């Protein structure tokens, strides 16, 4: 089905939800053990069977627009280096020198033609190959062809850069996203401007991520920020493999769409309805008219904590200092709402779960996004490809 037509059909469903006070529902509630959020063994299994195996969205095309641009970062305890070579190709490596294990690039972003380890000045090219050894006459023979940086599976699609943290692992984005990346190609996401990021810390990564997956809490937790725009408990879900597109109608959806031809409803995002786009296991993307927030949730270092990087992009480049100041204010506002209204209660939830008060949490029929996420998480943890995949 044509993308605009499909989104138009979803808009029609969401209009019905608002007019008739309904929401997406599945057949029954789902119970999840509270130990899922506290158990050290499960946390370790999640790192090995999920975060080290699936494609992770680690960077944006807009962060590395030019040849020589690079980004060095920590991803779930793995030091990762992503760079764009002279021909424009993006690669990813473990940011670990093959000599004695030191990083070859400092964390952050920059531009350079080669990477030099600060420990002993071994130098690597943009393709990861070892090209220089300090004082080679005293070091001894080295087969440079076998001592390059360890490369990671990496692919750039739809304005984003996906990396698998396990060298030589298979990575099939078409199978993993099942057409979902067409959304970002249609939005021309590759040509947006990267504005910056903010980092916040919270509870177990799944406690934090659960909050991005439903709108049941909008009226009670966000009465002055989200609820004035978006009704509570009025949500639509679509699955694309383990990934989810969550539709949130606005209170004014009927008014916003009434004079728009039905065939154009699918091109009215932000004007009557919004989407939160979820990349399993750890990314939430909210595209707003003013600014877009992309949350990357990185678990750890212990089961009760996560580090979330809130990235901000928009279609237009920064025009002047006043525009930059306005963008900074918008980023701070989104960060403050996310932390003060969502992550603070998440920390309280973590304390509650660790108290042993209850053995299980319950996700209702109206919280299908949470159910779907936990079903896929359990599917990966079973580590048995013969099991059927969850379906929306």
């Amino acid at each position: 089905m044509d993308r605009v037509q499909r989104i138009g059909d979803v808009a029609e469903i969401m209009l019905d939800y608002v007019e008739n006070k309904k929401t997406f529902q599945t057949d029954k509630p789902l119970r999840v053990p509270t130990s899922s959020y506290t158990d050290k063994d499960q946390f370790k299994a999640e790192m090995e069977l999920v975060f080290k195996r699936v494609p992770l969205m680690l960077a944006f095309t807009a962060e590395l627009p030019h040849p020589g641009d690079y980004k060095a970062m920590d991803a779930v305890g793995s030091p990762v280096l992503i760079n764009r070579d002279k021909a424009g190709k993006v690669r990813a490596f473990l940011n670990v020198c093959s000599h004695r294990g030191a990083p070859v690039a400092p964390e952050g972003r920059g531009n350079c033609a080669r990477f030099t380890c600060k420990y002993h000045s071994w130098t690597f090219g943009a393709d990861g190959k070892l090209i220089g050894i300090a004082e080679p006459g005293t070091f001894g023979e080295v087969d440079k062809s076998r001592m390059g940086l360890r490369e990671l599976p990496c692919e750039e699609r739809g304005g984003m850069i996906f990396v698998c943290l396990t060298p030589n692992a298979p990575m099939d984005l078409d199978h993993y996203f099942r057409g979902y990346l067409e959304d970002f190609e249609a939005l021309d996401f590759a040509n947006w401007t990267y504005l910056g990021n903010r980092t916040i810390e919270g509870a177990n990564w799944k406690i934090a991520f659960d909050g991005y997956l439903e709108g049941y809490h909008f009226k009670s937790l966000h009465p002055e920020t989200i609820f004035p725009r978006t009704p509570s408990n009025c949500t639509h879900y679509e699955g694309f493999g383990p990934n989810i597109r969550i539709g949130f109608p606005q209170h004014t959806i009927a008014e916003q769409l009434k004079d728009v031809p039905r065939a154009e409803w699918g091109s009215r995002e932000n004007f009557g309805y919004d989407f939160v786009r979820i990349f399993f296991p750890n990314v939430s993307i909210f595209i707003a008219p003013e600014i877009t927030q992309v949350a990357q949730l990185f678990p750890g270092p212990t089961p009760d904590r996560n580090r979330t990087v809130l990235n901000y992009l928009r279609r237009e480049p920064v025009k002047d200092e006043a525009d930059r100041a306005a963008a900074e204010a918008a980023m701070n506002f989104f960060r403050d709402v996310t932390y003060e209204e969502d992550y603070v209660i998440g920390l309280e939830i973590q304390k509650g779960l660790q108290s042993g008060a209850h053995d299980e949490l319950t996700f209702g029929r109206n919280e299908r996004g949470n159910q779907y996420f936990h079903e896929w998480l359990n599917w990966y943890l079973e580590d048995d490809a013969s099991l059927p995949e969850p379906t929306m």
Side-chain angles (χ1 to χ4, degrees), residues 166-178:
T166 299
N168 301 315
M171 190 171 76
D172 185 346
L173 296 186
D174 290 324
H175 176 74
Y176 192 73
F177 286 104
R178 319 282 172 94

Side-chain angles (χ1 to χ4, degrees), residues 71 83 120 152 179 199-200 389:
K71 177 181 182 180
N83 77 308
H120 296 94
L152 297 172
T199 299
I200 58 178
E389 295 180 347

Side-chain angles (χ1 to χ4, degrees), residues 122 130 133 139-145 147:
W122 281 36
L130 176 61
I133 297 173
F139 190 85
E141 291 187 10
V142 169
D143 183 352
K144 291 182 182 178
S145 68
M147 295 192 68

Side-chain angles (χ1 to χ4, degrees), residues 162-211:
F162 298 89
V163 177
C164 179
L165 296 179
T166 299
N168 301 315
M171 190 171 76
D172 185 346
L173 296 186
D174 290 324
H175 176 74
Y176 192 73
F177 286 104
R178 319 282 172 94
Y180 197 14
L181 296 181
E182 292 176 6
D183 267 13
F184 297 89
E185 291 161 359
L187 292 166
D188 195 29
F189 205 52
N191 291 311
W192 288 28
T193 295
Y194 186 79
L195 298 171
N197 64 62
R198 304 288 188 268
T199 299
I200 58 178
E201 295 182 353
N204 176 274
W205 70 279
K206 297 187 298 295
I207 289 177
F209 208 52
D210 279 334

Side-chain angles (χ1 to χ4, degrees), residues 97 99-105 115-124:
C97 180
H99 171 216
R100 296 271 293 279
V104 301
F115 300 98
T116 301
C117 174
K118 66 180 179 181
Y119 196 10
H120 296 94
S121 297
W122 281 36
T123 302
F124 301 83

